[in-house]
Amino acid sequence: MEVNPGFLFTETHMPCSTPDITDTLRYDRPTIVLHWTTAFLVLLQFALGETWNWPAKPVHHLMVVAHLTVGILLTVIMAFRIVWRLTKGRHLSDLLRPVDRVCALGAEYTLYGLLLAEILLGYFWRWGAGQTMSFFGLLIPSPFARFPAETVTWLHTLHEWNAWLIMGFATGHGAAALFHQFVLKDKVLGRMLPQCFLLRQ
């Protein structure tokens, strides 16, 4: 009797405990690219801001210019990300439980709000102190008059503390994704990973 090879393959294949992430469940490519680009830029900004006082003046100046340049890039990325999220971007999976959906949306909107606040605080702090923004060396002057010294100090303090708050929420966000991936094993993390990374798993 002739045996169908396809039948043997089907019988010997062991199904996973949870379904694989498919293209219908994963986020779209622009959303994934924007997400990881934002994460990289935020980490870079935090590192620059926390260490630019360590080196001597020439390197310090370059780090400040880099921080300002990345800040402007992050402004554009966040603007495009919000527009994409509200129009064509793929949203959360309908397979999520209501409590997971609430927590995920709460974390997402909180991070969006903190990032937007950090961007605005950066502009107001820089321009309020009477200094120019710099984009790859291109100077952008302040559109308004210089703020009082007390206001500038207050903006600086808020900018610094908000940066730590962002890092705290981002760390919690990453820890939750890893918890889903390795403890709950529901493969939620795979929805935001690039396709090439998933193929290597």
Side-chain angles (χ1 to χ4, degrees):
M1 181 177 65
E2 185 176 345
V3 180
N4 184 354
F7 172 78
L8 288 175
F9 177 79
T10 303
E11 289 297 314
T12 56
H13 177 69
M14 297 298 294
C16 298
S17 59
T18 55
D20 289 334
I21 296 296
T22 63
D23 288 337
T24 58
L25 293 177
R26 296 182 70 248
Y27 284 101
D28 55 276
R29 183 176 297 178
T31 297
I32 294 174
V33 171
L34 289 169
H35 175 272
W36 292 110
T37 301
T38 301
F40 172 75
L41 293 180
V42 168
L43 287 173
L44 178 59
Q45 285 291 78
F46 185 78
L48 288 170
E50 292 299 315
T51 61
W52 66 22
N53 287 325
W54 297 358
K57 188 172 182 180
V59 177
H60 166 78
H61 177 72
L62 290 176
M63 293 176 70
V64 172
V65 171
H67 186 82
L68 297 174
T69 299
V70 174
I72 295 175
L73 287 175
L74 190 58
T75 304
V76 176
I77 291 292
M78 285 301 298
F80 187 78
R81 185 174 180 178
I82 291 173
V83 171
W84 183 259
R85 176 70 170 79
L86 295 175
T87 55
K88 298 182 179 181
R90 189 169 295 166
H91 295 182
L92 290 174
S93 171
D94 293 332
L95 300 179
L96 284 178
R97 295 178 303 173
V99 63
D100 290 333
R101 190 176 188 85
V102 170
C103 291
L105 287 175
E108 179 184 3
Y109 293 154
T110 299
L111 280 171
Y112 270 60
L114 290 175
L115 286 172
L116 292 176
E118 187 72 355
I119 290 171
L120 290 176
L121 286 169
Y123 282 106
F124 284 125
W125 170 35
R126 183 74 180 179
W127 280 337
Q131 303 184 66
T132 59
M133 289 291 292
S134 178
F135 185 69
F136 292 106
L138 176 64
L139 300 182
I140 306 174
S142 173
F144 36 72
R146 186 168 184 155
F147 295 164
E150 296 80 5
T151 303
V152 174
T153 301
W154 178 71
L155 289 170
H156 177 202
T157 302
L158 286 179
H159 187 68
E160 185 172 356
W161 280 104
N162 193 60
W164 281 97
L165 194 57
I166 289 172
M167 295 307 299
F169 268 93
T171 301
H173 175 66
L178 294 175
F179 179 80
H180 275 272
Q181 179 72 12
F182 297 110
V183 179
L184 300 181
K185 299 184 184 301
D186 54 11
K187 303 185 179 182
V188 166
L189 180 60
R191 300 190 66 234
M192 191 57 80
L193 291 178
Q195 185 68 40
C196 59
F197 182 87
L198 289 177
L199 292 176
R200 291 198 295 266
Q201 302 301 311

